């Protein structure tokens, strides 16, 4: 399976800063064997598209998409728009969108549908918050997130096109990382859920880890059997750190 390192820039950087960060990443990522995916804010997608055009292992992703197809939905960005702008991937169900924009399982399921209809590859995020972790309910939380947004909505064929990302909310942007064992047991659980639902093809689906992943801990995380790469927030804003994470397989 191809190892993947995706950078989620979130709502950071001016246009100039985005351009210079990406130029730096493009220069440094050449020759690194993993697949990099860069997810800048919407206004920078077309600049980013031009800068990475033709690069063998850097692709473009968006951080969000609309659950609607087109029409009078002010401020929304459709999957068709993303596709026609050269975007290949889209992050869906990030915990920040679930928490701050009240995204429900059902809405996330609709966004997954729109993405797949437009041949975008969704990066579907799931993960428990701190109180759920303390209560020991992390497996149940992740199971219900995948069931209610994915297994209840999508066909086997559609599910096999999705990239999964386990992102424990208590580790995102906090500097606190899940230990490799803590991460692996949830990745293994996710793998099992996938195999139960779509059979052996579940073994081919990438499952990324996200949550304060950085050069110092990436190697230990990526060595785990069911961790196929990372979804990187803070460390994706530094070219050296981001590319170093890509060298950690
Ligand atoms: P972080 O963010 O690496 O800054 O913890 C990860 C994410 O939110 O995707």
């Amino acid at each position: 399976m191809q190892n993947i390192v995706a950078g989620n820039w979130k709502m950071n950087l001016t246009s100039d800063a985005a351009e210079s960060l990406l130029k730096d990443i493009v220069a440094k990522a050449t020759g690194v064997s993993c697949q990099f995916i860069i997810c800048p804010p919407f206004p920078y997608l077309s600049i980013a598209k031009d800068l990475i055009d033709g690069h063998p292992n850097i692709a473009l992703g968006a951080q969000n998409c609309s659950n609607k197809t087109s029409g009078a939905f002010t401020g929304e960005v459709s999957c068709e728009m993303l596709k026609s702008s050269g975007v290949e991937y889209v992050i869906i169900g990030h915990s920040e969108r679930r928490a701050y924009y009240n995204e429900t399982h059902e809405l996330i399921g609709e966004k997954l549908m729109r993405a797949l209809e437009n041949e975008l590859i969704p990066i579907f995020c799931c993960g428990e918050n701190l109180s759920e972790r303390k209560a020991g309910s992390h497996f149940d939380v992740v199971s219900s997130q995948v069931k209610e947004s994915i297994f209840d909505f999508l066909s086997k064929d559609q599910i096999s096109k999705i990239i999964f990302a386990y992102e424990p909310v208590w580790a995102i942007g906090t500097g606190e990382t899940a230990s490799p064992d803590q991460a692996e047991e949830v990745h293994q659980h996710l793998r099992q859920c996938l195999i139960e639902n779509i059979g052996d093809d579940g073994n081919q689906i990438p499952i990324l880890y996200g949550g304060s992943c950085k050069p110092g801990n990436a190697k230990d995380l990526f060595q785990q059997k069911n961790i196929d790469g990372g979804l990187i927030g803070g460390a994706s804003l530094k070219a050296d750190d981001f590319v170093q994470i890509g060298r950690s397989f």
Side-chain angles (χ1 to χ4, degrees):
M1 191 189 310
Q2 171 78 62
N3 295 312
I4 297 169
V5 171
N8 174 8
W9 290 2
K10 307 191 180 182
M11 197 171 74
N12 290 299
L13 306 172
T14 60
S15 178
D16 286 349
E19 191 171 331
S20 82
L21 172 60
L22 194 50
K23 280 184 178 155
D24 212 5
I25 291 172
V26 166
K28 290 176 168 141
T30 303
V32 181
S33 64
C34 78
Q35 172 69 58
F36 289 105
I37 303 167
I38 308 285
C39 305
F42 288 134
Y44 309 152
L45 283 170
S46 72
I47 311 171
K49 171 74 188 148
D50 290 345
L51 289 173
I52 64 176
D53 209 22
H55 197 285
N57 61 329
I58 304 182
L60 192 58
Q63 297 174 20
N64 185 25
C65 63
S66 179
N67 61 323
K68 305 291 185 193
T69 307
S70 69
F73 301 103
T74 301
E76 289 290 280
V77 174
S78 73
C79 287
E80 188 181 34
M81 293 172 183
L82 295 174
K83 183 72 183 177
S84 65
S85 305
V87 172
E88 292 178 75
Y89 299 84
V90 57
I91 298 172
I92 294 177
H94 192 281
S95 60
E96 287 152 15
R97 298 217 54 89
R98 294 176 191 262
Y100 308 142
Y101 301 97
N102 303 318
E103 293 202 359
T104 61
H105 297 312
E106 192 184 358
L107 181 92
I108 291 166
E110 287 170 7
K111 290 185 176 197
L112 290 166
M113 281 284 215
R114 297 295 89 74
L116 292 162
E117 282 162 8
N118 286 281
E119 295 180 345
L120 292 171
I121 300 174
I123 302 174
F124 169 81
C125 304
C126 57
E128 79 287 355
N129 63 30
L130 187 57
S131 59
E132 291 161 340
R133 166 61 64 166
K134 283 188 172 153
S137 57
H138 42 291
F139 294 120
D140 292 343
V141 169
V142 166
S143 295
S144 82
Q145 288 171 334
V146 288
K147 179 182 179 297
E148 292 183 45
S149 294
I150 295 182
F151 299 138
D152 285 355
F153 276 88
L154 303 176
S155 69
K156 185 178 163 185
D157 190 45
Q158 289 172 315
I159 295 167
S160 66
K161 298 194 169 93
I162 298 174
I163 295 173
F164 287 71
Y166 168 57
E167 299 209 307
V169 179
W170 48 273
I172 295 179
T174 58
E176 195 170 333
T177 320
S179 70
D181 288 348
Q182 282 176 318
E184 171 61 13
E185 65 176 5
V186 181
H187 280 237
Q188 200 179 359
H189 173 72
L190 266 171
R191 180 78 66 211
Q192 210 45 49
C193 293
L194 285 167
I195 292 169
E196 274 163 25
N197 278 275
I198 66 165
D200 271 356
D201 288 354
N203 283 312
Q204 304 310 318
I205 295 186
I207 308 177
L208 314 182
Y209 169 78
S212 300
C213 184
K214 42 191 179 264
N217 58 28
K219 216 175 201 126
D220 287 343
L221 287 159
F222 296 168
Q223 260 167 11
Q224 303 300 310
K225 183 166 184 283
N226 291 290
I227 301 186
D228 307 306
L231 178 53
I232 320 298
S236 72
L237 297 170
K238 293 186 191 126
D240 284 326
D241 286 3
F242 184 60
V243 174
Q244 189 55 38
I245 293 170
R247 292 186 200 275
S248 303
F249 293 97

